[in-house]
Amino acid sequence: MQSVPVIAIDGPSGSGKGTICKLLAKNLGYYLLDSGALYRLVAVAADHHGVSVENERALADIAAHLDVQFLADKVVLEGEDVTLAIRTETAGMNASKVASLTLVRKALEERQRAFAEAPGLVADGRDMGTVIFPQAQVKVFLTASAEERADRRYKQLKSKGLDASLPDILADIQQRDERDMKRAVAPLKPAADALEIDCTHMTIEEVEQQVMALITKRGLH
Ligand code: DC
C-alpha cells in the first residue's frame, strides 16, 4: 500500500507516545501524525456547532470537512486558534466518545493516510499499526500502568500551574481506557507484529533507545 516508511506507535492515554513520537520524528526528519488531535478537533468542532457527541452522522460530516491547519506553533480550526482548547480533559473525553463511532473513524481514514509522505512518517495513535497503516515497517505498542500514567499527567498539569486532582485524573484515564479498548470499531490493542513496551519503570531515553534499535533493525536508519 505505502512505500514511504511508517513508524506506528500505539498505546493508551498518557503512555508517553506523544513525547516519543516527537523525538523520533525530529531525529529521523520524518513527518508526524498526531491522530488523537484529529479526534479532539472533531469533538471541539462539534461543540462549536452545537452538535451532540452522539450524533454520528453530523459528527462524520464534521470529520469529513474538518477545516484545520497544523502550523508550526499552533492548531487553527475554522480560523480559530484551538491549540489549548483541544488539550483539555473534556476535549480528551469527548474525543474518546466520538472516536467510538464507525462513520467518524471512516471519515478520518484517508486524511490520516495522506500524512505518509517521503522521507517518512511517525504515526501516534490507537489503531495506527492495526487499521490505518497495517503495512508499517515498525510497530510499537507503548503502555504503562494506569496509576503511573495518571501520576505523570498530574505532574504535567501541576508544572503548568494548572489545578488538578490525582484521583479524578486516574478515574478519567480508567474510563477512557475502558472505552478505547472495548469499542467495536478499531479498539485499542497491539498489532500482532508490534513490539510491546511497558514503560512504567522506564525513562523516556530508555524507551527511545529500544524503539531506535527496532528502527535500525528494520533498516530505516
Ligand atoms: O491520544 P489522545 O489522548 O490525544 O486521543 C484522544 C482520544 O482519541 C482517545 O481517547 C481515543 C481517540 N483516538 C482514537 O480512537 N484513535 C486514534 N488513532 C487516536 C485517538
Side-chain angles (χ1 to χ4, degrees):
M1 193 176 83
Q2 83 265 356
S3 53
V4 172
V6 174
I7 298 168
I9 316 272
D10 291 304
S13 316
S15 59
K17 282 174 302 142
T19 307
I20 289 293
C21 286
K22 278 193 204 106
L23 281 171
L24 293 174
K26 191 158 174 262
N27 288 352
L28 300 164
Y30 281 12
Y31 287 99
L32 176 67
L33 163 62
D34 172 2
S35 61
L38 293 174
Y39 292 98
R40 287 170 181 265
L41 282 159
V42 172
V44 168
D47 185 45
H48 286 180
H49 293 283
V51 168
S52 138
V53 288
E54 270 127 48
N55 187 342
E56 184 164 3
R57 285 204 177 276
L59 290 166
D61 195 49
I62 287 175
H65 302 102
L66 213 50
D67 169 16
V68 60
Q69 290 166 279
F70 291 99
L71 304 177
D73 58 344
K74 60 183 172 186
V75 183
V76 178
L77 175 69
E78 296 165 357
E80 188 184 328
D81 183 348
V82 293
T83 319
L84 296 178
I86 61 168
R87 294 292 152 206
T88 64
E89 295 300 307
T90 307
M93 193 55 87
N94 286 337
S96 168
K97 289 181 187 159
V98 304
S100 67
L101 304 171
T102 309
L103 296 181
V104 172
R105 301 199 76 85
K106 279 267 162 248
L108 292 177
E109 269 189 14
E110 289 316 314
R111 189 188 284 257
Q112 293 176 82
R113 293 195 180 116
F115 276 79
E117 279 197 61
L121 177 70
V122 178
D124 167 347
R126 304 293 189 290
D127 61 342
M128 298 296 98
T130 50
V131 176
I132 305 297
F133 302 110
Q135 276 88 1
Q137 289 83 345
V138 172
K139 296 182 189 179
V140 172
F141 193 81
L142 188 61
T143 183
S145 71
E147 289 72 17
E148 173 66 20
R149 288 183 281 129
D151 195 50
R152 289 179 193 171
R153 179 82 185 134
Y154 175 76
K155 287 180 181 146
Q156 194 183 42
L157 290 171
K158 281 282 173 194
S159 74
K160 287 186 191 158
L162 294 169
D163 206 20
S165 138
L166 188 55
D168 287 355
I169 293 174
L170 180 59
D172 270 13
I173 281 189
Q174 285 166 331
Q175 207 186 329
R176 214 142 44 104
D177 280 0
E178 165 107 359
R179 188 182 301 110
D180 294 347
M181 288 187 293
K182 295 211 170 137
R183 68 180 174 222
V185 52
L188 169 66
K189 64 167 187 203
D193 50 352
L195 168 69
E196 289 188 49
I197 303 178
D198 180 340
C199 68
T200 306
H201 304 294
M202 288 170 80
T203 63
I204 292 288
E205 292 74 24
E206 286 167 336
V207 177
E208 190 188 2
Q209 269 171 19
Q210 274 206 20
V211 181
M212 281 308 293
L214 179 62
I215 290 171
T216 306
K217 198 168 143 196
R218 296 284 148 83
L220 297 184
H221 185 61

